[in-house]
Amino acid sequence: MSDAPARVLLVEDDEGDALLVRECLREAGLTEPEISWQRTLGDGLAALATPPECVLLDLGLPDAEGLGALYRIVAAAGEVPVIVLTGRHDRTGDDAVAAGAQDYLVKDDITPELLDRSIRYARERKRAQRAELRLRAEQSQTAERARLERGLLPTPLLHGDRITCATYYQPGSDLAVLGGDFFDVVETPDGRIRAVIGDVMGHGPDEAALGVHLRVAWRTLVLAGAPDDWILGTLARLLHAESGDSGPFVTVCDLSIELDSTVSLRVAGHPAPLLCANGETRYLEAAVGPPLGVQGLAPQSATTQWPETRTSLPSGSSLILYTDGLLDGYRPLTDDGGLGVAELLNATDRCVSADNTVESWLPGLVDSAPARSDDDTAVVVLTSRS
């Protein structure tokens, strides 16, 4: 056996067979205190309260018979490998392996070397089995996350090619399907491009559900033709109805691109977009109103709480909407407690100059951040055709 031999639980009612197996174990390197011998299935199950590193199980016990004993031991042993001891050269051993045992040994054939090798192999097979199960679980979880994200994340509704859209989404938690960040892009019947990006404060499933709820409400309002200056106020009332005064607050950037490339935006406590034009990226100076859900504010007065800022989107340029998870990734580069905006601007310029295809440089912009943010990250890039 190895320098630190496995503790072995032997469940065997025949004293002669038990003596043989214990002697082989001692010759293989185990000491007597490392061998636990139990005569019945019940005692063997009780001994599993202190898990051994391997179980040697006889199938003919006073209180169990055949594979029934194996099923109960395997269920109780968890990650401990089980080797079946049988007195017959028949299909019993094969059936035992199919039922969950890692190996089987015929008692008349047992030698110290064979028993040593069987225990070693059983432990390795159990480790490989656990690794395979974990891999399958991770693959299943990844596939399920992809299906859920396809269902929960929006598909931009763009009918023409005047404006193209690229998006990126990464939940802050590796186990999360969707975070509290949300976005959407819709082209209205009159040809305007409407876009929104928002961040529900928090990282749990409730925040994720609320983000989806607000995103669907925003799309519904836009497609129903609600005036632009009603949108944030209506979302604020909806947030209050869903969460009350104790609910989270939500930051939002809501914008419209007109047919003449004029951009109108309203910002509720959210980072303003970046404008990437002529090989240079700059931060848009926008009037910022309070986040949705701040107590003491009247959500009806949308035009005064969330004033409109107007700019233009030159041909061939891009508007970059993002949540603060992206800023957090660049904040470690600052040494003055800054927000990382300048660092993000520089990184965007480098990515764009290396590859002007948005679909290519957008993932690189996130991946090249010096730190992985614990917050959710959403990015939307709207590009005007040259």
Side-chain angles (χ1 to χ4, degrees):
M1 302 288 288
S2 64
D3 293 338
R7 286 195 317 107
V8 172
L9 169 62
L10 172 62
V11 186
E12 169 64 72
D13 69 316
D14 186 278
E15 188 168 349
D17 289 341
L19 180 63
L20 170 65
V21 173
R22 290 162 63 195
E23 183 61 31
C24 287
L25 289 172
R26 283 193 291 270
E27 290 187 29
L30 267 70
T31 61
E32 188 63 30
E34 294 172 312
I35 305 170
S36 173
W37 174 33
Q38 304 297 331
R39 297 173 181 266
T40 67
L41 176 63
D43 290 340
L45 291 172
L48 286 173
T50 303
E53 294 190 22
C54 187
V55 176
L56 301 178
L57 174 67
D58 177 36
L59 293 183
L61 298 172
D63 54 346
E65 186 67 31
L67 295 180
L70 176 61
Y71 289 136
R72 294 181 64 185
I73 284 287
V74 168
E79 297 186 351
V80 178
V82 179
I83 299 174
V84 163
L85 304 179
T86 177
R88 296 173 292 186
H89 288 272
D90 56 16
R91 289 190 52 84
T92 301
D94 294 334
D95 293 340
V97 171
Q102 271 61 57
D103 200 358
Y104 71 93
L105 295 173
V106 178
K107 296 178 184 179
D108 292 342
D109 298 337
I110 291 178
T111 64
E113 294 78 13
L114 178 62
L115 188 56
D116 178 23
R117 184 170 62 250
S118 180
I119 291 175
R120 289 176 183 272
Y121 288 175
R123 293 170 64 189
E124 292 305 317
R125 278 193 290 270
K126 192 66 176 181
R127 289 193 186 99
Q129 184 183 62
R130 291 196 299 267
E132 182 180 3
L133 290 175
R134 285 195 297 268
L135 178 60
R136 289 181 179 178
E138 290 172 0
Q139 291 174 336
S140 176
Q141 185 182 60
T142 299
E144 182 64 17
R145 283 180 57 179
R147 286 193 295 270
L148 287 172
E149 286 179 1
R150 285 195 298 270
L152 295 175
L153 291 177
T155 300
L157 295 181
L158 297 177
H159 309 299
D161 58 0
R162 179 174 64 92
I163 300 291
T164 61
C165 176
T167 63
Y168 178 94
Y169 196 96
Q170 176 62 56
S173 168
D174 291 334
L175 299 179
V177 173
L178 201 65
D181 292 1
F182 62 93
F183 65 85
D184 206 349
V185 180
V186 171
E187 183 174 350
T188 61
D190 59 5
R192 295 188 309 143
I193 305 299
R194 297 284 284 111
V196 69
I197 192 164
D199 185 354
V200 181
M201 296 302 102
H203 308 287
D206 291 341
E207 288 77 11
L210 185 56
V212 172
H213 191 66
L214 293 172
R215 194 269 300 170
V216 172
W218 179 90
R219 177 175 283 204
T220 302
L221 290 168
V222 168
L223 293 178
D228 292 357
D229 58 0
W230 285 17
I231 300 294
L232 292 180
T234 304
L235 293 182
R237 291 194 293 275
L238 178 61
L239 175 63
H240 185 269
E242 291 293 321
S243 304
D245 292 334
S246 60
F249 66 86
V250 181
T251 67
V252 181
C253 178
D254 177 37
L255 66 81
S256 173
I257 304 175
E258 309 294 334
L259 291 174
D260 63 359
S261 297
T262 298
V263 178
S264 304
L265 63 148
R266 290 180 172 84
V267 179
H270 198 84
L274 307 181
L275 177 62
C276 183
N278 301 318
E280 182 179 1
T281 306
R282 64 183 178 89
Y283 183 78
L284 289 180
E285 295 293 339
V288 180
L292 310 185
V294 174
Q295 295 186 26
L297 297 176
Q300 296 85 352
S301 55
T303 55
T304 57
Q305 288 190 34
W306 300 289
E308 181 184 49
T309 298
R310 298 177 71 85
T311 185
S312 62
L313 181 64
S315 178
S317 61
S318 297
L319 273 175
I320 305 174
L321 289 70
Y322 56 95
T323 57
D324 55 9
L326 182 61
L327 278 177
D328 288 345
Y330 286 92
R331 190 170 296 170
L333 292 176
T334 66
D335 56 6
D336 57 357
L339 297 177
V341 173
E343 291 72 20
L344 175 59
L345 295 176
N346 293 333
T348 304
D349 287 341
R350 290 193 298 270
C351 290
V352 173
S353 62
D355 190 341
N356 60 9
T357 302
V358 176
E359 288 76 8
S360 298
W361 64 253
L362 178 52
L365 179 64
V366 181
D367 294 340
S368 61
R372 165 68 190 273
S373 173
D374 293 332
D375 202 355
D376 310 317
T377 300
V379 187
V380 177
V381 182
L382 300 170
T383 302
S384 175
R385 289 192 63 191
S386 301

